[in-house]
Amino acid sequence: MNVKQQLLSLKAYSPGRTIEEVKKQYGLEKIIKLASNENPFGCSPKVAEALAALSSQFALYPDGAATVLRQKVAEHVGAEQNQLLFGSGLDEVIQIISRALLDETTNVVMASPTFSQYRHHAVIENAQIREVPLRDGVHDLEAMLGQVDENTRIVWICNPNNPTGTYVNEAEIVSFLERVPKTALVIMDEAYYEYATAADYPNTLALLPRYENLMVLRTFSKAYGIAALRMGYAVGHADLIQKIEVTRLPFNTSTVAQAAAIAALDDKEFLEYCVKVNEEGRQQYYEFCEAHDIPYYPSQGNFVFMEIGKTGDDVFQYLMQRGFIVRSGAGLGLGRGVRVTVGKREDNEQLTQLLLSFLNNSREETRS
């Protein structure tokens, strides 16, 4: 049986090694996973309380409209309820939007490297892909604007960008939106929004009323710590959201995911704590890199990309054998170095010591 020809150029997403696999292979008792940008502090205790009350509903279909969550998120972001589109994580939201807007006559514009699913779904829909290299790790909006034409349907801007953690500021975004054709939908993927602390990080939701071709994506997988349950959403103009809604599966977000997201939004103190300690953790990595002349990208996410080692795979393997799982840059479009999720303070300290050992070993080998 044949599939679409363009699918043959793709690989299914690989989530990487599991903790149990690594434990077994290397005979380790403890593994610290700092590879997938998960919240090291888990989720709010209120989430567990909310889920404990759901056992009587497991035989029932979820609310396809996510009515209560829709009300809660609309209030949280200052939008109307009909401006929201919910998905089983942002991965599905990206899939829904791509399916609705793209075909072989269209193109998409994105940075390189950036989040892989933009490209993945453009390939599936047979759209042309126009990738613009990052400039010093940051989206080159001027060069991206030069790639937009009358057939461009989506411009993807991952802000903060994954895998670099860099961002484009509000002035740059506004300048871009003022000049990009209205026929191109500019999608700001703000999966790491809650972790961004820069004073000039854009308030994109406030820009929505001014720009009819702007859409913003957010998720509960990162700072809110419920990645296992899958919940993400888009905020856009109501008329476009309603047109896109027809491509969404009827019951695409589960009852437990909806309840967990509602509870997570209610615990502002937990979120504030996570943001505070994440910023402290980022600083730990910055100080380490600067002390040992390791190039890195200042990050607005909950991860830091460091250019250490001849290849990211070397660093990845060295750390994994010693109980730490990080993400090699080799699979992210950045061959040298690793992307490290900011963990608990003690985990960050242990990891930096291992990185220092790796660095010293590498320098010894070079001298010999």
Side-chain angles (χ1 to χ4, degrees):
M1 179 66 69
N2 293 326
V3 298
K4 291 179 179 179
Q5 186 66 29
Q6 62 266 31
L7 300 190
L8 302 179
S9 67
L10 297 174
K11 293 182 179 179
Y13 178 76
S14 175
R17 304 289 298 280
T18 67
I19 289 175
E20 291 307 314
E21 284 177 328
V22 176
K23 278 185 178 180
K24 184 176 180 180
Q25 180 174 357
Y26 296 106
L28 299 168
E29 294 184 2
K30 182 182 179 182
I31 297 291
I32 304 297
K33 184 186 176 193
L34 299 176
S36 301
N37 303 338
E38 296 143 328
N39 188 334
F41 302 98
C43 61
S44 163
K46 292 184 178 181
V47 171
E49 295 171 10
L51 299 188
L54 292 178
S55 60
S56 63
Q57 299 183 40
F58 291 165
L60 305 177
Y61 284 109
D63 173 11
T67 305
V68 179
L69 177 61
R70 184 176 296 273
Q71 294 169 351
K72 196 83 175 179
V73 171
E75 180 182 349
H76 174 66
V77 301
E80 298 297 324
Q81 293 182 36
N82 60 2
Q83 290 182 258
L84 301 174
L85 170 72
F86 292 94
S88 180
L90 282 188
D91 292 325
E92 190 193 29
V93 174
I94 292 166
Q95 178 189 50
I96 290 170
I97 295 169
S98 298
R99 186 179 184 187
L101 298 182
L102 303 179
D103 61 26
E104 66 279 0
T105 69
T106 64
N107 69 70
V108 296
V109 176
M110 65 189 74
S112 178
T114 191
F115 186 48
S116 62
Q117 291 302 293
Y118 313 147
R119 189 182 199 284
H120 187 89
H121 288 289
V123 170
I124 291 174
E125 303 305 330
N126 210 21
Q128 182 190 21
I129 299 162
R130 298 180 178 180
E131 295 176 299
V132 177
L134 297 175
R135 184 179 60 190
D136 299 325
V138 183
H139 281 66
D140 187 346
L141 293 187
E142 288 301 315
M144 291 175 69
L145 186 63
Q147 291 295 315
V148 176
D149 62 22
E150 68 277 8
N151 295 319
T152 303
R153 289 297 169 269
I154 302 174
V155 178
W156 292 103
I157 302 176
C158 188
N159 205 42
N161 186 47
N162 180 10
T164 56
T166 54
Y167 76 106
V168 287
N169 64 36
E170 181 147 353
E172 293 167 328
I173 291 296
V174 169
S175 175
F176 183 83
L177 289 168
E178 285 291 330
R179 293 176 292 156
V180 72
K182 296 296 183 274
T183 50
L185 179 64
V186 179
I187 302 183
M188 302 293 299
D189 182 348
E190 298 181 344
Y192 300 93
Y193 164 81
E194 289 80 11
Y195 287 120
T197 56
D200 58 350
Y201 183 84
N203 182 0
T204 46
L205 292 177
L207 297 175
L208 268 175
R210 288 168 52 186
Y211 301 102
E212 63 187 44
N213 59 330
L214 176 63
M215 182 178 287
V216 180
L217 309 188
R218 300 271 176 89
T219 184
F220 287 91
S221 294
K222 304 304 179 183
Y224 289 103
I226 56 171
L229 301 177
R230 317 304 298 128
M231 179 61 72
Y233 61 95
V235 189
H237 287 264
D239 56 344
L240 178 59
I241 290 291
Q242 298 314 303
K243 291 174 183 176
I244 292 175
E245 273 273 0
V246 301
T247 65
R248 180 182 62 80
L249 294 176
F251 304 109
N252 65 322
T253 62
S254 70
T255 299
V256 292
Q258 292 177 33
I262 292 166
L265 276 178
D266 280 335
D267 196 342
K268 293 180 175 60
E269 289 184 5
F270 176 80
L271 181 66
E272 289 170 359
Y273 170 76
C274 292
V275 173
K276 175 179 178 293
V277 293
N278 180 74
E279 189 166 15
E280 293 169 355
R282 288 192 306 220
Q283 193 61 39
Q284 281 181 271
Y285 285 112
Y286 298 164
E287 291 172 0
F288 167 76
C289 289
E290 289 165 5
H292 300 285
D293 297 321
I294 299 170
Y296 71 95
Y297 291 116
S299 173
Q300 289 297 304
N302 66 333
F303 58 90
V304 178
F305 190 91
M306 296 172 273
E307 292 186 353
I308 179 172
K310 293 180 180 178
T311 73
D313 286 345
D314 293 337
V315 188
F316 166 80
Q317 190 68 31
Y318 182 89
L319 294 174
M320 185 168 63
Q321 291 174 356
R322 291 157 178 79
F324 279 80
I325 305 176
V326 299
R327 188 73 186 270
S328 169
L332 300 172
L334 295 168
R336 293 188 60 187
V338 289
R339 189 191 68 191
V340 178
T341 303
V342 176
K344 298 176 181 177
R345 172 169 285 275
E346 59 271 23
D347 297 334
N348 300 334
E349 290 174 352
Q350 290 180 46
L351 181 59
T352 54
Q353 288 306 305
L354 286 173
L355 286 171
L356 182 58
S357 297
F358 174 87
L359 192 62
N360 290 336
N361 290 344
S362 298
R363 287 170 177 169
E364 284 294 330
E365 290 175 1
T366 300
R367 283 194 289 268
S368 62

